[in-house]
Amino acid sequence: MKFQPLWAFAACLLSLSACARDASQQAIVHDAEHYVLLSQNGEQWQKEDKTIDAKLAELRKKYGKAPNIVHVLWDDTSYGDVGIPAINIIRGFSTPNINRMAAEGAMYSRMYSEPSCTPTRAAAMTGRHPVRNGMYGVGFPIEYKGLSGQEKTIAEVLSEAGYATAFYGKWHLGDIEESYPHNQGFDEALFTPYNQVLSLWNKMGEGVNAVQGLIKPMLVKDPYAKDKGFTASGWVMTLEGKKGQQAQEWGDTSHNTYVKIDPESQKRTLDFIRRNADGDKPFYVAYWPNMTSFIPNPKKRTLSRSLFGESMQYNVDAFIGRLMEELKTLKIAENTLVIAMADNGPMSHNPPPGLGMTETIFRGGKGDFTEGGVRVPAFAWWPGVVEPQLVGDIFHVTDLYTTFARLGQATTHIPRDRVIDGVDQTSLILNGDTHSRRDYVHIYTGPVLGATVKGHWKFHWVNDDPTSKSGIGAAMYNLLNDTREHNPVLVNGVPHLEGFKRMRKRHLMTRKQYPDAPAGEGDAYTGIENARPETLAASKRDNYIPTPSRVAGSE
Amino acid sequence: MKFQPLWAFAACLLSLSACARDASQQAIVHDAEHYVLLSQNGEQWQKEDKTIDAKLAELRKKYGKAPNIVHVLWDDTSYGDVGIPAINIIRGFSTPNINRMAAEGAMYSRMYSEPSCTPTRAAAMTGRHPVRNGMYGVGFPIEYKGLSGQEKTIAEVLSEAGYATAFYGKWHLGDIEESYPHNQGFDEALFTPYNQVLSLWNKMGEGVNAVQGLIKPMLVKDPYAKDKGFTASGWVMTLEGKKGQQAQEWGDTSHNTYVKIDPESQKRTLDFIRRNADGDKPFYVAYWPNMTSFIPNPKKRTLSRSLFGESMQYNVDAFIGRLMEELKTLKIAENTLVIAMADNGPMSHNPPPGLGMTETIFRGGKGDFTEGGVRVPAFAWWPGVVEPQLVGDIFHVTDLYTTFARLGQATTHIPRDRVIDGVDQTSLILNGDTHSRRDYVHIYTGPVLGATVKGHWKFHWVNDDPTSKSGIGAAMYNLLNDTREHNPVLVNGVPHLEGFKRMRKRHLMTRKQYPDAPAGEGDAYTGIENARPETLAASKRDNYIPTPSRVAGSE
């Protein structure tokens, strides 16, 4: 199949479902850009797919089942901070295990995440840009909101294909019952509905200036206070649950419980792997560490002496070492894909002293659509299958959804009634460098399309600089020669200008044709068997987010 | 010798020469900070020195002479752009030979240069911060100025110890006769008195918008012009010379000549090495490439398509590969130290499209006292002697002076009547990581002391941000946790505050006790046998920089 501009600009623009039908009666619906690439590369991809299918069949024959999948996803790390010893050394901590993973496996130089915790997690779970399912914001207690039951997670997809599935760690996808991981396809889960900020929301947090006033028991009585509902109370820190069962609150909301979550999650991750190593079912386990507490650990062992450096070296990296060892000991490393990566760039904007997250190569961090917000360290380790290499291709966190499904022979379980932004990157995993099936990324910040990347070019749809260096409302950058997106390309960029505008238009048409779905909303903390009275008291959404008719004085 | 605060704060502060005498009747005079470290580490260093001397004696016995030294110094490169494949790939070019050098030798993570071309070159040549000898500015045609004959270069020091010496490439240390490298200790030289900008100063430059008006033949006749002397003319691009002889102009000022300088310098460098490989004399050769022309090369072979990327990969890196091969072929690699490094950070401020120099990990570039200006990629390669390693120590370009001298048994030829900022880093070269003899750097920009580094802390004496984020006139930064010097440390930094102030005071006392010497000044282009008439016409300093009494109307 040769480049067919008519096909691409007519069939796809006019009717995305037509494109989909054209490929197969039951094809997955992708973002418009996929069809532009498919029309030009489809023949080549078809050939590759035959070889890939043969390779996967061979592996299944050898091991008696589809490959296991382990997904480790931690927080807030700049590209290069881990995996590259020459950057480790200037940051004052060391990640020898991740560096070994990078040396033995694939290091991706262009893995794009969403720009913050909740959106990236939602993207990994659903294969969709979070703008499509309302999960583009970062949740804090109490949000009465979460990942909708209408979404189909990779855990559901793989479960339907016969995988044993488990989730341990930082979920951060909501506090409503339908959003709990054991209600989203995981057989078992120990999870935090929110993020690490909860480590401060207790008496131990009193010592940290930054949290003044976060929770009621820490507050001096305020004679001017009139609203008891403004500051959260009755919130839940950790839950555990099994598919089809009620959740249980695990531990309490103390710092003492907080610091046990990661060790317990790691223990359960390794236990789950051991239990399923020799079973008939392949397994999929997501271990998403909480990584650090915002209460500084008095024990400093790194030169950086930072929350980030200490937890990166002694928590995340140390566990990755144990994980690789365990997979080898169990003799399943060669049938297990490990993906290890960060969820977004550093929380770098005016960080508290000692946090240790900092911009390095790329500009920006958490929340930003510049590369620093979304271009994260990422590694694939699969001895005997993934060759040691550095990969220059574009990869997106949503691609894990489609790729894990393909590896697990579960592609047929991916829903066909919505846009799946993730594309199948099995070829990138197996064949490596230059084998990506995308050369583009749309980058949202919240619900706003901030930028679009195509190849080594990037267009900022929103000007991130109020003084507008470029003299125009938006600007184009060359990422190779201006990694920090500082110097807009003007005359030199013109050949790409209309190309970018077409990409945006095509992409927005997919949102028009398949309208964005809302996040789940409702009472928080239902479905918890041992819910405390204060949790039950805080549970009713209507008490805090009433419908307009219930607000006194409103229309 | 234990830590002696009284010794350090009394003897050294009151009389630096007393400190020097205390160590040896004929000791080199260093910056004050050296004596603070010496008082605490002297015993350890003495022990190490014995082992080092034995090791060097053993090598001299084996090879019949002191080690050869090759110094490659190129322009304007961010730390990480070379030597680290995972950064190469995001920059769109590749430096396989430098990466191999990094893998086989030492990669220094904290090599500090001066913040621009001329100052770094002067520092390497004299072992002194350029503020001490007037070479802190960047020279352009015609400056009637250059490295003073009163300075003693490393070429002179090593010559006196019996080395064969040669210089090829970008000298950029002045256009007066006393500054020419063959008058500064080099047996032979092919050199450019200025920098790469000359590649534009000819008819070929007409095509490049940026150079409009740089040279007279390119100008439309200006009816408002009144000053024929303001725009340079009669300037010289390339000279060659031999010690004790007159210089010769090499080629002309055309672009055609410009593009031959690097190939010819590389050829001569390898020829010189071959000629001296088996001789009785050890050799010291400085090959400082011009690296690129500012006129874009129409042949683009890298993804970056930039002047920087193309010349880094196909000029500098390719030559370094040939150099390493040649040393191996000649079987002298194990008696040759190669130091390869950049002279300062990227020329990143509003670069023209396609230049390809960009800030990456550190903030700032050429001219800045932030890390981006002065923390440069640097490598030592010496098979069998320098172990493969990543080095976290502080190293300064002035240290090469004292270190090369030590390796060449030439330390006694270092002058004792002035401050030598460079310290002996032979232990860092031979023993590697953690063996630096400095934990500090003073960073000048022009004649201004911009910042001081001690360990992982840095104090900006001048606030680089007019909006003063810190609320104070200057600020302290932690380089491990805030690589980009963005978030001043306040309360946490207090233990170091007075320490920094003392360092500065001690350092400035050395400038008081040993007053800064001036740069050489005088007629340009004397001592050129084949000087063109227009060169002779431009030569007289007094015609352009008259003494006040000669300016009509002045007092």
Side-chain angles (χ1 to χ4, degrees):
Chain A
M1 195 182 328
K2 292 199 185 134
F3 179 38
Q4 299 171 334
L6 281 182
W7 188 91
F9 300 152
C12 275
L13 280 180
L14 295 174
S15 164
L16 283 162
S17 56
C19 297
R21 273 198 303 275
D22 184 72
S24 147
Q25 207 54 33
Q26 285 287 321
I28 297 166
V29 182
H30 285 298
D31 190 86
E33 204 61 16
H34 172 72
Y35 301 100
V36 174
L37 302 187
L38 186 66
S39 75
Q40 299 172 67
N41 302 278
E43 244 173 63
Q44 175 61 27
W45 293 352
Q46 246 175 355
K47 274 187 221 160
E48 282 174 16
D49 281 340
K50 280 185 192 159
T51 322
I52 289 168
D53 285 339
K55 168 88 180 166
L56 292 176
E58 187 194 323
L59 281 169
R60 279 196 306 275
K61 198 176 160 193
K62 185 170 175 186
Y63 297 101
K65 56 183 172 185
N68 308 305
I69 297 164
V70 181
H71 187 201
V72 182
L73 179 76
W74 68 84
D75 283 76
D76 295 12
T77 304
S78 303
Y79 175 83
D81 267 7
V82 301
I84 305 177
I87 298 185
N88 268 184
I89 201 169
I90 63 174
R91 297 283 282 112
F93 60 85
S94 177
T95 55
N97 296 297
I98 296 176
N99 300 357
R100 183 159 60 88
M101 181 177 262
E104 295 176 3
M107 174 161 176
Y108 300 102
S109 65
R110 302 192 71 186
M111 172 64 93
Y112 287 86
S113 64
E114 299 289 326
S116 42
C117 302
T118 300
T120 291
R121 283 149 213 271
M125 276 298 135
T126 66
R128 288 148 58 77
H129 280 304
V131 73
R132 301 200 195 269
N133 54 32
M135 295 302 290
Y136 49 74
V138 177
F140 294 93
I142 301 172
E143 49 172 345
Y144 305 98
K145 185 184 156 188
L147 186 64
S148 163
Q150 299 302 309
E151 292 298 310
K152 189 160 182 182
T153 69
I154 186 61
E156 291 173 300
V157 168
L158 289 171
S159 284
E160 289 175 13
Y163 270 68
T165 57
F167 182 90
Y168 304 109
K170 174 179 166 180
W171 181 240
H172 205 182
L173 287 172
D175 52 19
I176 58 172
E177 191 172 350
E178 69 191 270
S179 71
Y180 302 162
H182 57 284
N183 297 331
Q184 287 279 3
F186 287 98
D187 297 339
E188 49 190 278
L190 175 75
F191 67 100
T192 54
Y194 312 112
N195 69 1
Q196 295 85 343
V197 170
L198 292 193
S199 65
L200 293 175
W201 289 33
N202 53 57
K203 277 285 184 184
M204 275 287 286
E206 252 181 321
V208 183
N209 276 337
V211 299
Q212 220 169 3
L214 270 183
I215 62 164
K216 289 180 197 169
M218 289 164 58
L219 301 178
V220 168
K221 193 173 154 53
D222 179 355
Y224 306 104
K226 287 180 179 56
D227 179 6
K228 288 179 182 174
F230 185 68
T231 304
S233 65
W235 48 274
V236 165
M237 191 155 73
T238 323
L239 293 169
E240 60 182 327
K242 288 192 171 160
K243 196 179 269 179
Q245 297 182 11
Q246 290 249 300
Q248 303 280 337
E249 184 168 14
W250 185 85
D252 51 27
T253 60
S254 68
H255 189 71
N256 196 33
T257 287
Y258 181 85
V259 296
K260 288 177 182 162
I261 302 172
D262 266 356
E264 180 66 17
S265 299
Q266 294 178 358
K267 185 174 158 291
R268 292 194 188 194
T269 300
L270 296 180
D271 284 351
F272 174 82
I273 290 172
R274 276 184 220 111
R275 271 188 280 132
N276 287 282
D278 295 326
D280 293 338
K281 288 181 161 191
F283 63 79
Y284 161 62
V285 57
Y287 167 57
W288 294 357
N290 277 275
M291 188 172 165
T292 189
S293 160
F294 280 114
I295 296 185
N297 184 345
K299 196 163 156 194
K300 309 282 190 203
R301 290 175 286 182
T302 67
L303 277 182
S304 91
R305 301 180 61 80
S306 67
L307 292 182
F308 177 72
E310 294 287 326
S311 57
M312 202 64 235
Q313 177 164 347
Y314 290 103
N315 183 357
V316 178
D317 185 74
F319 175 74
I320 285 175
R322 283 158 56 209
L323 172 68
M324 291 192 291
E325 280 315 300
E326 189 68 45
L327 292 171
K328 281 188 202 162
T329 305
L330 295 167
K331 301 193 193 312
I332 58 171
E334 297 190 355
N335 197 39
T336 303
L337 167 64
V338 181
I339 295 283
M341 61 186 286
D343 66 350
N344 47 248
M347 192 175 73
S348 67
H349 308 90
N350 198 23
L355 180 61
M357 292 171 186
T358 181
E359 284 183 21
T360 53
I361 301 171
F362 300 116
R363 185 159 65 93
K366 194 165 197 154
D368 296 335
F369 58 79
T370 49
E371 299 282 289
V374 292
R375 198 152 153 189
V376 293
F379 311 88
W381 186 79
W382 189 350
V385 177
V386 173
E387 295 293 317
Q389 68 191 289
L390 199 51
V391 178
D393 298 81
I394 294 180
F395 204 162
H396 190 258
V397 61
T398 55
D399 298 342
L400 296 177
Y401 182 88
T402 24
T403 307
F404 290 171
R406 168 93 181 270
L407 290 171
Q409 292 192 289
T411 303
T412 52
H413 302 289
I414 291 175
R416 263 61 178 174
D417 61 349
R418 62 197 77 181
V419 175
I420 303 294
D421 295 288
V423 299
D424 174 20
Q425 295 283 31
T426 308
S427 184
L428 183 59
I429 299 279
L430 267 55
N431 297 321
D433 193 38
T434 73
H435 288 86
S436 178
R437 295 201 174 166
R438 67 159 75 231
D439 65 350
Y440 68 95
V441 183
H442 293 294
I443 306 176
Y444 280 84
T445 178
V448 176
L449 180 60
T452 294
V453 171
K454 180 85 165 178
H456 296 293
W457 299 88
K458 182 166 181 178
F459 205 96
H460 292 195
W461 300 114
V462 181
N463 194 320
D464 74 312
D465 175 7
T467 64
S468 191
K469 285 184 292 276
S470 60
I472 47 177
M476 197 189 310
Y477 298 86
N478 180 287
L479 295 175
L480 296 170
N481 293 314
D482 179 20
T483 52
R484 299 187 60 77
E485 297 155 81
H486 256 309
N487 301 292
V489 173
L490 298 173
V491 176
N492 276 345
V494 165
H496 306 303
L497 199 55
E498 291 299 328
F500 270 116
K501 289 188 199 163
R502 287 194 296 268
M503 281 181 74
R504 182 172 190 263
K505 199 174 281 182
R506 289 194 294 255
H507 168 66
L508 293 179
M509 284 181 72
T510 69
R511 289 181 57 196
K512 205 170 169 187
Q513 189 168 6
Y514 292 88
D516 300 336
E521 291 200 51
D523 291 349
Y525 309 135
T526 60
I528 303 176
E529 206 164 39
N530 60 347
R532 287 167 284 127
E534 61 268 35
T535 301
L536 292 175
S539 151
K540 288 275 170 238
R541 178 182 182 281
D542 277 1
N543 291 345
Y544 299 91
I545 313 175
T547 50
S549 64
R550 291 192 47 215
V551 178
S554 74
E555 294 304 301
Chain B
M1 196 183 325
K2 291 200 185 133
F3 179 39
Q4 298 170 334
L6 281 181
W7 189 88
F9 299 152
C12 275
L13 281 181
L14 294 174
S15 163
L16 283 163
S17 55
C19 299
R21 272 198 304 277
D22 184 71
S24 145
Q25 207 55 31
Q26 285 288 320
I28 296 165
V29 183
H30 284 298
D31 190 88
E33 204 62 17
H34 172 71
Y35 301 100
V36 173
L37 302 187
L38 185 66
S39 76
Q40 299 171 69
N41 302 279
E43 243 172 66
Q44 175 61 27
W45 294 353
Q46 246 173 358
K47 272 187 224 162
E48 282 174 17
D49 280 340
K50 280 183 193 160
T51 322
I52 289 168
D53 285 338
K55 168 88 181 163
L56 292 176
E58 187 194 323
L59 281 168
R60 279 196 306 275
K61 198 176 158 192
K62 186 169 175 188
Y63 297 100
K65 56 183 172 183
N68 308 304
I69 298 165
V70 182
H71 188 202
V72 182
L73 179 77
W74 68 84
D75 284 76
D76 295 12
T77 305
S78 302
Y79 175 83
D81 267 6
V82 301
I84 305 178
I87 298 186
N88 268 184
I89 201 169
I90 63 174
R91 298 282 283 112
F93 59 85
S94 177
T95 55
N97 297 298
I98 297 176
N99 301 357
R100 183 159 60 88
M101 181 176 262
E104 295 176 3
M107 174 163 175
Y108 300 102
S109 65
R110 303 192 72 187
M111 172 63 93
Y112 287 87
S113 65
E114 299 290 325
S116 43
C117 302
T118 300
T120 291
R121 283 150 213 270
M125 275 299 134
T126 66
R128 289 148 59 76
H129 281 304
V131 73
R132 300 198 196 271
N133 53 34
M135 296 301 289
Y136 49 75
V138 177
F140 294 93
I142 300 173
E143 48 173 346
Y144 304 98
K145 186 185 155 188
L147 186 63
S148 163
Q150 300 302 310
E151 292 297 309
K152 189 161 183 182
T153 68
I154 185 61
E156 291 173 298
V157 168
L158 289 172
S159 283
E160 289 175 14
Y163 270 68
T165 56
F167 182 88
Y168 303 110
K170 174 178 166 180
W171 180 242
H172 205 183
L173 286 173
D175 51 20
I176 57 172
E177 191 173 351
E178 68 190 271
S179 72
Y180 302 163
H182 57 285
N183 297 330
Q184 287 280 2
F186 287 98
D187 297 339
E188 49 190 278
L190 175 75
F191 67 101
T192 53
Y194 312 111
N195 69 2
Q196 295 86 343
V197 169
L198 292 195
S199 65
L200 293 174
W201 288 33
N202 52 57
K203 276 284 184 185
M204 276 288 286
E206 252 182 320
V208 183
N209 276 335
V211 299
Q212 219 169 5
L214 270 182
I215 61 163
K216 288 180 197 170
M218 291 163 56
L219 299 179
V220 168
K221 193 174 155 53
D222 180 354
Y224 307 103
K226 288 179 178 58
D227 180 5
K228 289 179 180 173
F230 185 67
T231 304
S233 65
W235 48 273
V236 166
M237 191 155 74
T238 322
L239 294 169
E240 60 182 327
K242 289 192 170 161
K243 197 179 269 179
Q245 297 182 12
Q246 289 249 301
Q248 303 281 337
E249 184 168 16
W250 186 84
D252 53 26
T253 59
S254 68
H255 189 71
N256 196 34
T257 287
Y258 181 85
V259 297
K260 288 177 181 161
I261 303 172
D262 267 357
E264 179 67 17
S265 299
Q266 295 177 359
K267 185 175 157 292
R268 291 193 188 193
T269 300
L270 297 180
D271 284 350
F272 175 82
I273 290 173
R274 277 183 220 113
R275 271 188 280 133
N276 287 281
D278 294 326
D280 292 339
K281 286 182 162 192
F283 64 78
Y284 161 61
V285 56
Y287 168 56
W288 294 358
N290 277 275
M291 188 171 165
T292 190
S293 160
F294 280 113
I295 296 184
N297 184 343
K299 194 164 158 194
K300 309 282 190 202
R301 292 175 284 183
T302 67
L303 277 183
S304 90
R305 301 180 61 80
S306 66
L307 291 183
F308 177 72
E310 294 287 325
S311 57
M312 201 65 234
Q313 177 164 347
Y314 290 103
N315 183 356
V316 178
D317 185 73
F319 175 74
I320 285 175
R322 283 158 54 208
L323 172 69
M324 292 192 291
E325 280 316 300
E326 189 69 44
L327 293 171
K328 280 188 202 162
T329 304
L330 295 168
K331 300 193 192 313
I332 58 171
E334 297 190 355
N335 197 40
T336 303
L337 167 64
V338 180
I339 295 283
M341 60 185 287
D343 66 350
N344 47 249
M347 193 176 71
S348 67
H349 309 88
N350 198 25
L355 181 61
M357 292 171 185
T358 181
E359 285 182 22
T360 52
I361 301 171
F362 300 117
R363 184 159 65 93
K366 193 166 197 154
D368 296 334
F369 59 78
T370 48
E371 300 282 289
V374 290
R375 199 152 152 190
V376 293
F379 311 88
W381 186 79
W382 189 350
V385 177
V386 172
E387 294 293 316
Q389 67 191 291
L390 199 50
V391 178
D393 300 80
I394 294 180
F395 205 161
H396 189 259
V397 62
T398 55
D399 298 342
L400 297 177
Y401 182 88
T402 23
T403 307
F404 290 171
R406 170 93 181 273
L407 291 171
Q409 292 193 290
T411 303
T412 51
H413 303 289
I414 292 175
R416 263 61 177 174
D417 61 348
R418 62 197 76 180
V419 176
I420 302 294
D421 294 288
V423 299
D424 173 20
Q425 294 284 30
T426 309
S427 183
L428 183 59
I429 299 279
L430 266 56
N431 298 321
D433 194 37
T434 73
H435 288 86
S436 177
R437 295 200 174 166
R438 67 159 74 232
D439 66 349
Y440 67 95
V441 184
H442 292 295
I443 307 175
Y444 280 84
T445 178
V448 176
L449 180 59
T452 295
V453 171
K454 179 86 165 179
H456 296 292
W457 299 88
K458 182 166 182 179
F459 204 96
H460 291 193
W461 300 114
V462 180
N463 195 320
D464 75 312
D465 175 9
T467 64
S468 191
K469 285 184 292 275
S470 60
I472 47 178
M476 198 189 308
Y477 298 85
N478 180 287
L479 295 175
L480 295 170
N481 293 312
D482 179 19
T483 51
R484 297 187 61 77
E485 297 155 82
H486 256 309
N487 301 291
V489 173
L490 298 173
V491 176
N492 276 346
V494 165
H496 306 303
L497 200 54
E498 291 299 329
F500 270 116
K501 289 189 200 164
R502 287 194 298 268
M503 282 181 74
R504 182 172 190 264
K505 198 174 282 183
R506 288 193 294 255
H507 168 66
L508 293 179
M509 283 181 73
T510 69
R511 288 181 57 196
K512 205 170 169 189
Q513 190 167 5
Y514 292 87
D516 299 338
E521 291 200 51
D523 291 348
Y525 309 135
T526 59
I528 303 176
E529 207 165 39
N530 61 347
R532 287 169 284 130
E534 60 268 35
T535 301
L536 291 175
S539 150
K540 288 276 171 236
R541 180 181 182 279
D542 276 2
N543 290 345
Y544 299 91
I545 313 175
T547 50
S549 65
R550 292 194 46 216
V551 178
S554 74
E555 295 303 302

